Amino acid sequence: MFEFGIKDIIDIVLVALMLYYIYRLMKESRSLNVFIGIMVFIVVWLLVSQILEMKLLGSIMDKLVSVGVIALIILFQDEIRKFFYNLGARQRMQGLMKYFSFGGDKKDKADKESIMPIVMACMSMGKRKVGALIVIERNDPLDDIVATGDVIDAAINQRLIENIFFKNSPLHDGAMIISDKRIRAAGCILPVSHSVDIPKELGLRHRAAMGISQESDAIAIIVSEETGRISVAIKGEYKLRLSAEQLESILTHEMNL
């Protein structure tokens, strides 16, 4: 007689959580259709081999499954690497410990000191219609993106940000990467999103910002060269036409997560 105990409930919950996490990961990396296709194949495989017990078709699908595991590792190596990185990341816990160790007021003050120069630089560039793309690293490392540009490693400074994106600057066309409250690099190349949902009036900077926000948890700030409007891309979503107060509020909230 089949017995259903507490361990079975835990087993089902853990499997459900694992599938939900994989679903979110695939959705963020625009591989949701592949994930659905894999799940359909697994259901058919179980139906054929376990329930209907079709030996010939079941053995063929068994072989496909054994080879498919290797194929999936190759196909989703970036997603797998991101999964294990997030599994072992301690930045959030370290940030929480710092908050209780040194006090929230000091942290808020430090965040303001790094956020306000970015906000002021964006507003200034927006008024003069100077295009800019600023990416703020959070938990997911952007070392591969930094390697495509020129390393700067300087304190966050409004004048420095504006000079880098000045129209005659050799670095103005690329993206600036900010990490650990420092300007780490500029002139960096970002992955461009090819999503058909992006409005046609948004240019290449917006597509690049969407691309990095889909592949990481980074915050991407865009200053439009055509309109001077300021936008932010986070987790595959845009926040358009932002005021200085809205930009400051978004950065304050997102950088404290």
Side-chain angles (χ1 to χ4, degrees), residues 8-192:
D8 299 301
I9 296 175
I10 295 173
D11 188 25
I12 293 171
V13 171
L14 290 176
V15 170
L17 289 173
M18 182 182 69
L19 290 175
Y20 175 69
Y21 185 85
I22 295 173
Y23 166 80
R24 283 185 55 192
L25 198 63
M26 291 296 178
K27 186 177 180 181
E28 290 175 2
S29 62
R30 294 159 295 155
S31 304
L32 184 57
N33 289 337
V34 178
F35 173 75
I36 294 172
I38 293 171
M39 295 304 298
V40 170
F41 180 83
I42 291 174
V43 170
V44 173
W45 170 54
L46 292 174
L47 181 66
V48 168
S49 61
Q50 301 297 323
I51 299 175
L52 300 179
E53 296 183 352
M54 296 180 177
K55 294 183 179 179
L56 180 59
L57 187 56
S59 62
I60 293 173
M61 296 188 76
D62 287 342
K63 295 293 183 182
L64 289 175
V65 169
S66 61
V67 176
V69 172
I70 300 174
L72 287 175
I73 293 174
I74 297 172
L75 187 61
F76 296 108
Q77 55 181 324
D78 291 336
E79 284 79 6
I80 293 171
R81 182 177 63 182
K82 183 178 178 180
F83 170 79
F84 284 110
Y85 175 82
N86 289 338
L87 196 63
R90 293 188 175 89
Q91 284 90 337
R92 293 178 186 271
M93 184 60 69
Q94 289 173 351
L96 190 63
M97 293 299 293
K98 286 180 181 178
Y99 182 88
F100 288 111
S101 298
F102 301 104
D105 292 338
K106 292 181 179 179
K107 185 178 188 301
D108 290 341
K109 184 178 179 181
D111 285 343
K112 288 287 185 182
E113 290 176 354
S114 60
I115 288 172
M116 289 312 298
I118 299 173
V119 173
M120 297 304 295
C122 289
M123 298 309 298
S124 176
M125 291 185 292
K127 289 178 181 178
R128 294 182 283 112
K129 293 187 178 180
V130 175
L133 180 52
I134 302 171
V135 178
I136 302 174
E137 181 187 83
R138 293 201 283 180
N139 290 324
D140 294 344
L142 301 178
D143 295 343
D144 54 336
I145 302 297
V146 170
T148 64
D150 294 317
V151 176
I152 294 177
D153 191 25
I156 299 175
N157 181 278
Q158 178 184 347
R159 184 174 296 179
L160 177 58
I161 294 173
E162 293 183 33
N163 285 338
I164 287 174
F165 288 111
F166 182 67
K167 292 183 179 180
N168 293 330
S169 168
L171 301 176
H172 83 283
D173 278 335
M176 173 185 291
I177 307 298
I178 293 179
S179 175
D180 295 327
K181 299 178 182 177
R182 293 183 67 81
I183 299 174
R184 189 172 174 189
C188 299
I189 301 172
L190 302 183
V192 177

Side-chain angles (χ1 to χ4, degrees), residues 239-253:
K239 299 181 186 296
L240 302 172
R241 302 178 181 179
L242 300 176
S243 65
E245 292 77 14
Q246 289 172 323
L247 179 60
E248 180 187 352
S249 176
I250 291 171
L251 294 182
T252 302
H253 174 71

Side-chain angles (χ1 to χ4, degrees), residues 194-245:
H194 298 285
S195 173
V196 296
D197 297 328
I198 298 177
K200 293 182 179 180
E201 64 268 17
L202 301 181
L204 186 59
R205 282 192 179 91
H206 287 81
R207 286 191 170 272
M210 177 60 70
I212 194 64
S213 75
Q214 289 173 332
E215 296 190 6
S216 72
D217 65 348
I219 306 167
I221 308 169
I222 316 103
V223 180
S224 173
E225 192 171 353
E226 288 75 25
T227 64
R229 291 171 179 163
I230 298 170
S231 307
V232 169
I234 304 173
K235 297 179 181 178
E237 295 183 358
Y238 285 121
K239 299 181 186 296
L240 302 172
R241 302 178 181 179
L242 300 176
S243 65
E245 292 77 14

